[in-house]
Amino acid sequence: ETGVTQSPTHLIKTRGQQVTLRCSSQSGHNTVSWYQQALGQGPQFIFQYYREEENGRGNFPPRFSGLQFPNYSSELNVNALELDDSALYLCASSLGGGGADTQYFGPGTRLTVL
Amino acid sequence: QQQVKQSPQSLIVQKGGISIINCAYENTAFDYFPWYQQFPGKGPALLIAIRPDVSEKKEGRFTISFNKSAKQFSLHIMDSQPGDSATYFCAARMDTGRRALTFGSGTRLQVQP
């Protein structure tokens, strides 16, 4: 186990709703990255937070937003949910500026949008 | 420019055999290449990683071979075991900027007893 925890484990929402996913990073890690993994595909980078500031963003629309707290835990918020948002959402924590070190993944949150 | 192409999509190997998964990249700014293993219902777990200044790295039964000129790298699993049955992802990352991982599409490995 990596020490990275995510909640909830599973979530079912309907199109147009909003969702918040949570991640607790491994002890001592100050960087959290979020990824979306569609069924049968590799994870796709959403964004990264380093010391409470966004430190890079992938090709995702603004309705995907995030937050990192002083204890380095993080939230991923998705507004106006679409069917294609159904996926496994992974967070990964790492130590160092910009996520220089190994990224350790949590078990993910499975989001289903109906 | 950001793509990492992975093959094969699926692989069946007999117990004790060698599993080989290949990846190719285009962006020469990538300078860190990890392999992740993912079991159903779990997040990816780091297996082994390599930087382009070496051509091979071995850890136990797992070996990465790296060909910088061809922009290709591969994972070799020696003496494959049924417990190795999982999905394997190669990835790449730049050492500057946001340092996000760019993943391949994954290889589903099945090791038959």
Side-chain angles (χ1 to χ4, degrees), chain B residues 6-11 21-22 86-89 105-109:
Chain B
Q6 184 172 345
S7 64
Q9 188 174 14
S10 63
L11 183 61
I21 305 171
N22 301 300
T87 300
Y88 292 80
F89 294 95
S105 55
T107 295
R108 188 170 180 177
L109 171 65

Side-chain angles (χ1 to χ4, degrees), chain B residues 1-78:
Chain B
Q1 278 286 320
Q2 295 294 323
Q3 267 193 323
V4 176
K5 295 181 180 180
Q6 184 172 345
S7 64
Q9 188 174 14
S10 63
L11 183 61
I12 299 175
V13 172
Q14 295 298 315
K15 179 182 175 182
I18 302 173
S19 303
I20 302 174
I21 305 171
N22 301 300
C23 285
Y25 64 97
E26 297 179 356
N27 190 340
T28 55
F30 287 143
D31 77 336
Y32 173 71
F33 302 88
W35 284 88
Y36 281 83
Q37 178 189 57
Q38 186 176 28
F39 292 103
K42 303 287 187 180
L46 179 69
L47 259 182
I48 185 172
I50 197 168
R51 293 192 181 274
D53 53 345
V54 297
S55 60
E56 186 174 282
K57 183 174 181 181
K58 183 176 181 179
E59 289 185 1
R61 297 185 294 110
F62 301 93
T63 300
I64 299 179
S65 297
F66 189 86
N67 186 329
K68 187 174 181 178
S69 61
K71 292 186 286 185
Q72 295 175 346
F73 59 110
S74 61
L75 175 69
H76 295 232
I77 305 174
M78 312 300 288

Side-chain angles (χ1 to χ4, degrees), chain A residues 35 37 40-43 45 48 55-58 88 90 97-103 105-107, chain B residues 9 32 36 38 41-46 51 89 93 95 97-106:
Chain A
Y35 293 82
Q37 185 176 21
Q41 297 183 22
F45 175 72
Q48 182 180 88
N55 186 44
R57 188 179 185 91
L88 180 68
L90 297 160
D101 292 317
T102 300
Q103 294 188 19
F105 285 84
Chain B
Q9 188 174 14
Y32 173 71
Y36 281 83
Q38 186 176 28
K42 303 287 187 180
L46 179 69
R51 293 192 181 274
F89 294 95
R93 190 195 70 196
D95 203 26
R98 66 188 185 200
R99 296 175 180 170
L101 289 168
T102 298
F103 283 85
S105 55

Side-chain angles (χ1 to χ4, degrees), chain A residues 27-109:
Chain A
S27 178
H29 285 185
N30 55 20
T31 302
V32 172
S33 304
W34 285 92
Y35 293 82
Q36 180 195 66
Q37 185 176 21
L39 197 61
Q41 297 183 22
Q44 298 286 317
F45 175 72
I46 302 174
F47 45 56
Q48 182 180 88
Y49 279 84
Y50 169 61
R51 293 185 174 177
E52 302 179 58
E53 297 287 332
E54 186 176 294
N55 186 44
R57 188 179 185 91
N59 190 26
F60 281 81
R63 57 190 186 84
F64 285 78
S65 63
L67 200 59
Q68 186 178 34
F69 299 99
N71 66 354
Y72 302 131
S73 65
S74 178
E75 285 183 355
L76 164 65
N77 299 290
V78 187
N79 293 320
L81 283 167
E82 300 177 0
L83 297 179
D84 285 348
D85 295 334
S86 295
L88 180 68
Y89 288 84
L90 297 160
C91 79
S93 76
S94 55
L95 176 63
D101 292 317
T102 300
Q103 294 188 19
Y104 296 91
F105 285 84
T109 293

